[in-house]
Structures are given as structure tokens and as C-alpha cells.
């Protein structure tokens, strides 16, 4: 299967190139992650006139852990600069279209981030090189890149369709990475036990400090408040984990697969 030309993705969360879309379009609820409640499509009271955050330097201290952990993978800058250039939501006659588009882009760019990471793992010369899998991922990436450049509004089902296309390929890549690890080193008893619980192991609040989790499958794991300080997650699969409040000082993540944004 010939690979299409690789698209150029910008998956960086550059707030200076956005218009505070996440601070308006997304809701939040009073919880351990947020000290207040806000509905969707309303501006956060901390958003200033230049679309910056008035309390950015004290988000953690003031309890805004959800804001600190959030990463749009480039969906915000793309929505603001590519899809709605020179159209501020503050003066737009239909700002809801911008907000709805941004929410759709969040899902699309999350998939793109996973797909691009998977492509690197099976590219020619990589330890898990697989030409057929690389070509299939390249096609998804190219199609997805074309889709996110369509003029809004974006079909609500698009993200779900691309997620369905990408998911089996991502799982194949993850399995290949774990198999390659298993050929070099046996899983620890803990890594084997947690892998058997995947997807969706409930590790919330667990003390896994210094644990050997190399090559484990933690797909969909709840890691809320989990102590992973000093743990070794080399070549572990972290697809779709819930990482809120996880403790990560000294955690070895260099070769972990599909780690949440900001964990690297």
C-alpha cells in the first residue's frame, strides 16, 4: 500500500496564537480540578481583554488544576488562525459556530497526536517498523489533515469516525511495542497483573512509587492522584488514561506510548 505524502501537523498548544477558546467554549464544574462552575460558551471570569489568563501564574495554588493539565494539541491555534482568521468570538455575529468548531477540533487533534506518534513507532528504521501499518496510519493522518482544513461548520460525527478508524491501528502499534519489549525483558509481576486488567484498570490514589511498569498495558487506566514518582513506564501503553493529579516526579516516560500531553 503506497503511503500518501505526510501532512504537516502543528500539535503545539500555543496560547499566544489562540483567542482563549478553551476558556470560553469549555465548561467546568466545581470539583478537585476547579474551584468554581462555568457553563459552556461563557467566558471564564479570569480571561482578560487580550485573551490571557489573569491568574495563570497561580493556577495550581488557587486550585485550578484542570486548567493547568489541559492541552489542546494545537486545536485552539488552528481554529483561531486557520479556520476563523481575523474573526474574534467577541465580535462575531455567530460565536457559537467558533466554539462548536473548536470542540470538534479538540477531538480531531487528539486523534492526530496519537496517529503521528504511532507513525513514528512503525516508520522505516524504527524498532517496530511495519510498512503496511505505517501506510495505513499515513492514510488516516492525510485524510484527517484534509478534514480539519475544511470550512466550518464541521460534522459532529467526523471525530467519532476518525477515532473508529484510528483505534485499531493504535492498538496494533501498542501491541507491537509491548511485544518487542517482551522479547528483551520479562514483565514485572505488577506489570503483568495490571496488563491483565486493561483496559480501564482502577489505579486511582494507588501508591506505585518506584514501580517497574515497563512494557505494561495501562490503556484507559484511572490514574487520578496515583503516585508514580520514580516509576518506570518505558514502553508502557498509556492510551486514554485519566491522569488528573498523578504525581510524576522522577517518572521514567521517555519511551512510554501515548502519554498524556505534558507528561514527557
Amino acid at each position: 500500500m503506497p503511503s500518501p505524502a505526510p501532512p504537516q501537523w502543528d500539535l503545539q498548544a500555543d496560547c499566544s496564537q489562540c483567542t482563549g477558546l478553551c476558556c470560553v467554549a469549555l465548561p467546568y464544574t466545581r470539583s478537585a480540578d476547579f474551584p468554581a462552575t462555568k457553563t459552556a460558551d461563557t467566558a471564564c471570569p479570569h480571561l482578560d481583554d487580550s485573551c490571557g489568563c489573569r491568574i495563570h501564574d497561580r493556577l495550581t495554588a488557587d486550585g485550578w488544576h484542570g486548567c493547568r493539565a489541559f492541552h489542546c494539541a494545537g486545536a485552539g491555534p488552528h481554529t483561531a488562525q486557520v479556520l476563523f482568521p481575523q474573526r474574534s468570538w467577541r465580535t462575531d455575529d455567530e460565536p457559537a459556530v467558533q466554539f462548536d468548531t473548536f470542540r470538534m477540533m479538540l477531538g480531531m487533534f487528539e486523534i492526530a497526536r496519537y496517529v503521528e506518534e504511532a507513525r513514528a513507532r512503525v516508520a522505516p528504521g524504527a524498532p517496530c517498523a511495519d510498512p503496511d501499518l505505517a501506510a495505513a496510519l499515513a492514510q488516516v493522518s492525510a485524510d484527517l489533515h484534509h478534514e480539519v482544513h475544511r470550512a466550518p461548520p464541521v460534522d459532529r460525527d467526523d471525530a467519532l469516525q476518525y477515532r473508529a478508524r484510528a483505534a485499531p491501528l493504535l492498538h496494533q502499534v501498542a501491541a507491537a511495542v509491548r511485544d518487542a519489549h517482551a522479547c528483551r525483558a520479562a514483565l514485572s509481576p505488577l506489570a503483568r497483573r495490571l496488563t491483565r486488567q486493561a483496559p480501564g484498570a482502577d489505579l486511582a490514589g494507588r501508591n506505585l512509587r518506584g514501580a517497574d511498569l515497563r512494557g505494561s498495558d495501562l490503556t484507559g487506566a484511572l490514574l487520578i492522584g496515583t503516585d508514580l514518582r520514580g516509576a518506570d513506564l518505558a514502553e508502557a501503553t498509556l492510551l486514554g488514561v485519566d491522569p488528573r493529579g498523578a504525581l510524576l516526579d522522577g517518572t521514567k516516560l521517555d519511551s512510554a506510548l501515548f502519554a498524556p500531553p505534558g507528561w514527557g
Side-chain angles (χ1 to χ4, degrees), residues 10 18 42 52 63 72 75 78 80 85 96 114 139 143 158-159 172 176 202 215 232 245 251 255-256:
D10 186 352
C18 189
T42 58
C72 76
H78 180 80
Y114 288 146
Q139 188 64 62
D143 292 347
D158 283 341
Q172 287 181 56
D202 185 355
D232 193 342
T251 306
S255 57

Side-chain angles (χ1 to χ4, degrees), residues 18-191:
C18 189
T19 54
L21 288 169
C22 64
C23 303
V24 186
L26 303 182
Y28 51 72
T29 302
R30 184 186 296 274
S31 62
D33 294 315
F34 298 99
T37 295
K38 181 187 82 67
T39 59
D41 295 2
T42 58
C44 173
H46 302 300
L47 190 69
D48 63 27
D49 291 340
S50 61
C51 295
C53 177
R54 294 189 181 92
I55 62 168
H56 188 267
D57 59 347
R58 61 176 199 272
L59 284 172
T60 301
D62 287 6
W64 296 87
H65 306 291
C67 294
R68 180 63 70 189
F70 178 77
H71 192 292
C72 76
H78 180 80
T79 303
Q81 300 296 329
V82 177
L83 299 180
F84 294 92
Q86 285 81 52
R87 285 179 61 183
S88 168
W89 54 265
R90 294 184 188 275
T91 56
D92 200 320
D93 291 338
E94 295 184 292
V97 176
Q98 285 198 42
F99 302 147
D100 194 42
T101 300
F102 169 65
R103 287 188 287 266
M104 295 303 103
M105 289 297 111
L106 280 177
M108 305 284 259
F109 274 72
E110 179 187 38
I111 298 165
R113 186 175 68 83
Y114 288 146
V115 167
E116 292 305 289
E117 183 178 352
R119 287 181 63 202
R121 295 297 183 117
V122 296
C128 297
D130 183 323
D132 291 337
L133 193 48
L137 285 163
Q139 188 64 62
V140 173
S141 181
D143 292 347
L144 184 59
H145 193 264
H146 174 76
E147 196 69 33
V148 301
H149 283 81
R150 286 176 50 199
V154 178
D155 190 323
R156 289 179 178 272
D157 292 331
D158 283 341
L160 294 177
Q161 293 172 2
Y162 278 98
R163 192 176 298 275
R165 282 183 62 186
L169 302 176
L170 300 181
H171 288 302
Q172 287 181 56
V173 173
V177 171
R178 293 195 304 273
D179 288 347
H181 174 85
C183 289
R184 297 191 303 273
L187 296 183
S188 70
L190 175 60

Side-chain angles (χ1 to χ4, degrees), residues 194 197 201-208 218 221-227:
L194 295 182
Q197 296 175 29
D202 185 355
L203 304 176
R206 287 275 299 276
N207 180 8
L208 298 178
L218 299 178
L222 294 178
L223 300 177
I224 302 172
T226 306
D227 189 347

